[in-house]
């Protein structure tokens, strides 16, 4: 039996050792002991603490296992706003930035920058008081974030107590939480094994993990952290440079990325960028560019900020990534409207931050133009959020006997003869809802988030429901019984009752969403919204002629004809009235005339990441105020809402002189307009 004093000492020693090993592992990527030995230290500490509960302290490494789930995250106000970064897309744009910096501080000489990798994760603020970790918050909109302390506590890379004696009273460390590639790959392999949906990329995996209400889930996720700056700092003398700051933080045990370098003048900056671009593929985590920061902290201060971003820093993104892979096969898919799309199945390849396994070839014309054949080696590109594409075939690698791919003449699902209409790029299966593929896709569309928003009705379930003959039209969804659902593959009783509840909930909708859900050709969200606003009631729309339809903003002769043809079909009218009889309903909007709506006729484009509302919510809010939301910026655009990391659309807006709103401005505007409407 150890004496009390010895126990205390041993616990102390174990904690120090474990913290030191965490640091070697996470900060220096240089583990000092095998994993099994580390686990043994941890177990010993756990055992001693279990026997001596009075000696457990908040900052013990055993306290990283997560705690009771929360109902929601509390809000945290950032006393010093968490800013974003402007982007430079080429050498010239970086040089223009450098010139602005020099002009602003009247510097004739070269500026010294710290060049850091732009880590692809999510920004986090860590508050330490007297060296003890007390709170973590997400960036949110920069002013208000979410309190994710319990989750962050589970990340071993983040010290719960800073090392050393000369510590500030309060320091807010800022940096990026990310998921190293090895951990990401392991997590996704496990997800596939458990038939769960894998994460699209390490950034989503990190964000998803950090926004868990149950910190025990976060504790199992392989997250890491690098600091890149500070927010609040009390009772401490600031160091001279960004680089010194990093050394100071590292000395306190805070992980700093070891790929930072100092570069003086633009030439050295370009070289540092090239060096990192070349190293990128070898790094154990994802980076999507570099960040240049004026190294001198006093200079940073005098250069200052614009509303969203510092003037002393800029991000230079890497260009789209391209990778080579092989075409294993070419499938032909049948879409909701019968469109026949050739899709290349690839040997999975990690490019631009996601694993790509399928790439659309759009239509026969595109397939011919690129002349993609089974067995070909191809170059796949993915830029930002854009869908991946095949850039070209590597002809030198083509086998001499590779046959040209022929598009089928019959629908691969129902066997109907495929139609090709003169002047249309797309070939179609004309069988409509007699073709199971089209039924499946229509049901998926009907239930999708922007349509009826039936939570939990995933693709796999829809496929089974249609294949089993349980669902032939959307109306059949609302007649499904618990037992029928339970009989499906991988459907537990709980998920079946959740699904029934979600179906019930979806019955309360809006006319615009309902119209969109019907899947009328060419009637996307925007058109559905215009139709709902114009006609107010479904009956009026059902009886509309092509002439009256063409009076609706956005509706031309083709769309008008599709709407009329849709409601002419008895089958469609029956489905619509069954849905209404089964309880699908929406509030009557016929009393709001278009001109009453606060943003009637205004054209908005949303770009970048909107962190507070999210795109879909923002769009719905705008549409409910009568505004139109489109995808590309033109002279007709009234406003561009630029979220974080807005790119080319923001540039275009600036060059066309279109009003640009930050996310904050936008939220304010929406709030005012909604308020104005309510007070009418
Ligand atoms: S500095 C005041 N440094 O990029 C400057 N940000 O696009 C604020 N990021 O929200 C950020 N690596 O989440 C900085 N080395 C780095 C970074 C970095 C990644 C992220 C960060 C920020 C976003 C802005």
């Amino acid at each position: 039996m150890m004496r009390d004093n010895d126990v205390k000492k041993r616990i102390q020693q174990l904690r120090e050792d474990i913290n030191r090993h965490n640091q070697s592992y996470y900060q220096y990527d240089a583990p000092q002991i095998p994993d099994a030995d580390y686990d043994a230290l941890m177990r010993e500490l756990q055992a001693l603490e279990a026997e001596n509960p009075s000696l457990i302290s908040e900052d013990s490494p055993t306290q990283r296992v997560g705690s009771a789930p929360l109902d929601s995250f509390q809000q945290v106000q950032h006393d010093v706003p968490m800013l974003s970064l402007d982007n430079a897309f080429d050498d010239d744009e970086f040089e223009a930035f450098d010139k602005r910096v020099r002009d602003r501080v009247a510097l004739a000489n070269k500026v010294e920058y710290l060049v850091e990798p732009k880590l692809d994760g999510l920004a986090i603020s860590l508050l330490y008081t007297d060296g003890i970790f007390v709170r973590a918050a997400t960036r949110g909109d920069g002013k208000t974030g979410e309190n994710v302390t319990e989750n962050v506590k589970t990340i071993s890379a983040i010290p719960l107590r800073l090392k050393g004696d000369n510590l500030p009273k309060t320091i807010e460390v800022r940096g990026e939480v990310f998921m190293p590639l090895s951990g990401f790959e392991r997590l996704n392999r496990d997800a596939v094994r458990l038939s769960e949906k894998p994460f699209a990329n390490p950034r989503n995996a990190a964000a998803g993990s950090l926004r868990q209400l149950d910190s025990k889930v976060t504790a199992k996720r392989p997250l890491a952290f690098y600091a890149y700056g500070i927010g609040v700092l009390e009772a401490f003398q600031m160091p001279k440079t960004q680089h010194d700051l990093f050394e100071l933080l590292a000395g306190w045990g805070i992980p700093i990325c070891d790929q930072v370098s100092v570069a003086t003048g633009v030439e050295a900056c370009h070289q540092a960028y090239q060096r990192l671009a070349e190293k990128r593929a070898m790094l154990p985590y994802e980076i999507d560019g570099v960040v240049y920061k004026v190294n001198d902290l006093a200079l940073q201060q005098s250069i200052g900020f614009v509303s969203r971003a510092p003037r002393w820093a800029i991000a230079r993104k890497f260009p789209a990534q391209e990778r080579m892979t092989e075409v294993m096969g070419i499938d032909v898919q049948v879409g909701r409207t019968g469109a026949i799309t050739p899709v290349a199945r690839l040997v999975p390849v990690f490019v631009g931050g996601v694993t790509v396994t399928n790439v659309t070839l759009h239509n026969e014309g595109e397939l011919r133009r690129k002349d993609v054949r089974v067995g070909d080696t191809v170059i796949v590109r993915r830029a930002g959020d854009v869908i991946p594409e095949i850039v070209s075939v590597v002809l030198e690698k083509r086998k001499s006997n590779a046959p040209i791919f022929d598009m089928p003449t019959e629908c691969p699902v129902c066997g109907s003869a495929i139609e090709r209409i003169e002047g249309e790029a797309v070939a179609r299966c004309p069988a409509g809802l007699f073709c199971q593929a089209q039924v499946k896709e229509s049901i998926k569309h009907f239930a999708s988030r922007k349509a009826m928003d039936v939570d939990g009705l995933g693709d796999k379930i829809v496929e089974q429901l249609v294949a089993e003959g349980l669902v032939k039209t959307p109306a059949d969804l609302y007649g499904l019984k618990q037992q029928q659902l339970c009989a499906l593959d991988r459907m537990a009783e709980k998920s079946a009752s959740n699904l029934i509840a979600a179906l019930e909930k979806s019955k309360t909708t809006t006319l615009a969403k309902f119209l969109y859900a019907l899947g009328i050709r060419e009637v996307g969200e925007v058109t559905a919204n215009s139709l709902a606003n114009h006609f107010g009631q479904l009956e009026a729309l059902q009886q509309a002629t092509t002439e009256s339809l063409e009076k609706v903003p956005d509706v031309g002769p083709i769309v008008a004809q599709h709407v009329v043809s849709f409601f002419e079909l008895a089958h469609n009218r029956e489905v619509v009235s069954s849905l209404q009889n089964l309880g699908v309903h929406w509030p009557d909007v016929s009393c709001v005339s278009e001109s009453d709506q606060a943003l009637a006729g205004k054209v908005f484009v949303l770009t970048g990441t909107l962190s507070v509302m999210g795109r879909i919510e923002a769009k719905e809010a705008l549409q409910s105020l009568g505004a139109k939301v489109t995808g590309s910026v033109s002279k007709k655009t009234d406003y561009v809402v630029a979220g974080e990391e807005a790119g080319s659309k923001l540039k275009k807006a600036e060059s066309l002189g279109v009003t640009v709103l930050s996310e904050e401005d936008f939220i304010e505007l929406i709030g005012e307009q909604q308020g104005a409407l309510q007070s009418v």
Side-chain angles (χ1 to χ4, degrees):
M1 193 65 187
M2 265 198 266
R3 291 213 329 270
D4 276 1
N5 228 355
D6 296 340
V7 172
K8 234 184 197 162
K9 270 202 189 134
R10 180 66 189 149
I11 286 183
Q12 202 58 39
Q13 186 63 49
L14 283 165
R15 286 179 185 161
E16 270 172 33
D17 289 352
I18 291 171
N19 285 335
R20 201 180 57 250
H21 291 310
N22 277 340
Q23 201 183 1
S24 316
Y25 186 91
Y26 288 103
Q27 184 168 352
Y28 303 113
D29 204 14
Q32 305 290 313
I33 52 168
D35 286 1
D37 295 8
Y38 175 88
D39 293 343
L41 294 177
M42 199 66 165
R43 273 197 306 274
E44 186 184 345
L45 178 59
Q46 276 161 345
L48 285 178
E49 286 183 347
E51 284 162 23
N52 303 278
S54 63
L55 297 180
I56 298 180
S57 75
E58 273 282 295
D59 62 349
S60 169
T62 55
Q63 302 303 299
R64 295 189 189 267
V65 288
S67 46
L70 306 173
D71 294 327
S72 63
F73 295 115
Q74 302 283 314
Q75 293 203 327
V76 170
Q77 301 301 324
H78 297 300
D79 291 341
V80 178
M82 286 183 82
L83 300 175
S84 169
L85 288 169
D86 279 339
N87 290 313
F89 290 96
D90 53 31
D91 286 0
D92 291 349
E93 289 185 7
F94 174 70
E95 286 171 25
F97 160 81
D98 173 69
K99 182 164 185 315
R100 287 196 298 277
V101 166
R102 279 182 291 118
D103 288 350
R104 194 162 277 281
V105 285
L107 257 186
N109 293 339
K110 292 177 177 171
V111 180
E112 186 176 282
Y113 293 100
L114 193 66
V115 189
E116 304 170 17
K118 186 161 194 304
L119 304 156
D120 207 5
L122 67 155
I124 197 88
S125 136
L126 309 171
L127 194 67
Y128 288 87
T129 309
D130 296 321
I132 306 286
F133 167 71
V134 289
R135 191 196 72 196
T138 60
R139 176 173 180 273
D141 63 357
K143 281 190 182 152
T144 312
E146 285 178 324
N147 186 326
V148 287
T149 309
E150 292 308 320
N151 290 344
V152 166
K153 234 190 223 172
T154 69
I155 304 176
S156 305
I158 294 178
L160 299 176
R161 174 195 289 271
L162 301 181
K163 287 192 306 188
D165 310 320
N166 182 21
L167 294 170
K169 173 85 193 128
T170 302
I171 182 166
E172 183 195 356
V173 177
R174 290 179 175 176
E176 199 87 343
V177 167
F178 60 94
M179 192 175 282
L181 287 167
S182 56
F184 168 70
E185 279 154 18
R186 192 179 72 230
L187 188 70
N188 269 359
R189 266 199 309 276
D190 290 350
V192 169
R193 215 183 41 236
L194 299 169
S195 303
E196 288 167 2
K197 200 168 168 225
F199 286 105
N201 55 47
R203 184 190 45 234
N204 288 3
S209 303
L210 207 60
R211 296 207 65 255
Q212 287 286 337
L213 289 168
D214 185 351
S215 50
K216 292 205 171 62
V217 176
T218 316
K220 296 198 189 100
R221 299 284 171 82
L223 295 173
F225 169 82
Y226 282 138
Y228 51 63
I230 54 172
V232 174
L233 177 68
E234 260 175 46
F236 205 81
Q237 174 71 40
M238 268 296 246
K240 275 206 158 28
T241 65
Q242 178 81 17
H243 192 252
D244 294 345
L245 172 67
F246 280 5
E247 291 200 332
L248 188 69
L249 294 175
W252 290 335
I254 293 171
I256 300 288
C257 178
D258 62 358
Q259 298 296 326
V260 302
S261 62
V262 175
T264 308
V266 285
E267 253 333 293
C269 283
H270 294 329
Q271 283 165 13
Y273 167 83
Q274 278 311 333
R275 265 201 311 277
L276 268 174
E278 281 157 27
K279 261 197 189 164
R280 180 184 189 189
M282 254 97 80
L283 294 175
Y285 42 81
E286 273 278 294
I287 64 173
D288 57 353
V290 303
V291 182
Y292 298 104
K293 296 176 184 168
V294 169
N295 199 21
D296 186 314
L297 294 182
L299 261 191
Q300 283 188 6
Q301 265 222 311
S302 66
I303 296 171
F305 304 85
V306 285
S307 67
R308 251 168 30 94
R311 286 203 200 93
W312 43 262
I314 198 153
R316 169 96 192 260
K317 293 280 191 73
F318 293 132
Q321 254 185 213
E322 294 185 357
R323 292 281 300 278
M324 253 186 331
T325 187
E326 226 176 277
V327 178
M328 295 196 291
I330 298 177
D331 291 341
V332 172
Q333 289 181 352
V334 187
R336 177 168 59 84
T337 59
I340 303 283
T341 311
V343 176
R345 265 188 300 114
L346 306 174
V347 172
V349 58
F350 192 71
V351 47
V354 296
T355 303
V356 179
T357 46
N358 294 309
V359 179
T360 175
L361 291 159
H362 301 290
N363 53 53
E364 187 170 8
E366 175 92 350
L367 176 73
R368 290 279 150 268
R369 193 171 63 72
K370 291 188 175 159
D371 187 19
V372 179
R373 305 186 191 183
V374 176
D376 272 350
T377 297
V378 291
I379 295 173
V380 176
R381 174 196 297 162
R382 183 177 183 275
D385 284 342
V386 182
I387 58 166
E389 60 170 349
I390 289 185
V391 184
S392 59
V393 172
V394 185
L395 285 175
E396 304 85 84
K397 297 202 172 206
R398 173 173 285 167
K399 296 186 190 74
S400 56
N401 58 353
I404 293 181
F405 180 78
D406 278 324
M407 286 286 275
T409 49
E410 287 170 3
C411 170
V413 178
C414 72
S416 308
I418 287 174
E419 284 181 355
R420 286 193 173 76
I421 296 175
E422 271 289 313
E424 266 194 38
V426 176
R428 283 178 204 280
C429 162
L433 296 181
F434 297 100
C435 172
Q436 271 215 357
Q438 295 176 54
V439 178
K440 283 179 185 167
E441 294 311 312
S442 316
I443 302 285
K444 287 180 198 168
H445 172 80
F446 181 83
S448 63
R449 187 140 166 234
K450 294 188 226 161
M452 301 299 283
D453 193 14
V454 184
D455 215 16
L457 188 62
D459 291 0
K460 287 265 162 352
I461 302 177
V462 173
E463 275 162 26
Q464 288 186 67
L465 289 171
V466 175
E468 303 276 324
L470 291 170
V471 170
K472 296 197 177 70
T473 77
D476 295 336
L477 288 173
Y478 293 108
L480 287 171
K481 300 273 172 306
Q482 171 98 8
Q483 301 97 295
Q484 292 174 312
L485 290 175
C486 284
L488 301 179
D489 259 8
R490 295 200 221 108
M491 175 66 94
E493 204 156 303
K494 177 85 179 130
S495 1
S497 49
N498 285 347
L499 181 51
I500 301 253
L503 279 162
E504 198 53 42
K505 184 166 163 230
S506 75
K507 287 182 181 172
T508 306
T509 182
T510 64
L511 177 55
K513 286 186 164 211
F514 181 73
L515 288 176
Y516 173 69
L518 292 178
I520 306 169
R521 287 255 317 263
E522 308 279 339
V523 177
E525 256 186 297
V526 176
T527 311
N529 205 60
S530 310
L531 290 171
N533 282 340
H534 185 88
F535 288 96
Q537 280 173 336
L538 181 62
E539 294 65 32
L541 174 66
Q542 276 177 311
Q543 284 151 19
T545 58
T546 47
E547 295 81 63
S548 59
L549 281 158
E550 283 181 46
K551 296 207 178 92
V552 180
D554 240 7
V555 175
I558 296 177
V559 178
Q561 188 53 55
H562 283 313
V563 174
V564 168
S565 307
F566 182 90
F567 288 114
E568 262 170 14
L569 273 184
H571 167 86
N572 290 338
R573 285 199 307 273
E574 275 161 29
V575 171
V576 167
S577 68
S578 316
L579 285 167
Q580 286 183 289
N581 291 338
L582 285 159
V584 173
H585 66 280
W586 48 86
D588 193 352
V589 288
S590 49
C591 50
V592 183
S593 86
E594 274 165 42
S595 55
D596 276 352
Q597 291 187 302
L599 297 175
K602 292 276 182 265
V603 180
F604 280 72
V605 173
L606 305 174
T607 182
T609 313
L610 299 181
S611 39
V612 178
M613 269 203 174
R615 284 262 185 115
I616 295 180
E617 221 187 308
K619 197 167 182 177
E620 283 172 3
L622 282 168
Q623 288 173 343
S624 72
L625 292 164
K628 196 168 131 186
V629 182
T630 66
S632 56
V633 180
S634 73
K635 278 194 210 126
K636 291 191 191 143
T637 313
D638 294 297
Y639 297 100
V640 166
V641 180
E644 200 176 318
E645 307 205 351
S648 58
K649 291 184 192 173
L650 173 58
K651 285 220 147 114
K652 179 128 190 238
E654 282 165 352
S655 70
L656 290 175
V658 173
T659 311
V660 176
L661 301 177
S662 69
E663 188 174 3
E664 274 165 36
D665 304 336
F666 166 68
I667 287 167
E668 213 168 278
L669 172 80
I670 291 269
E672 275 171 18
Q673 302 299 358
Q674 285 171 338
L677 270 188
Q678 274 150 14
S679 61
V680 171

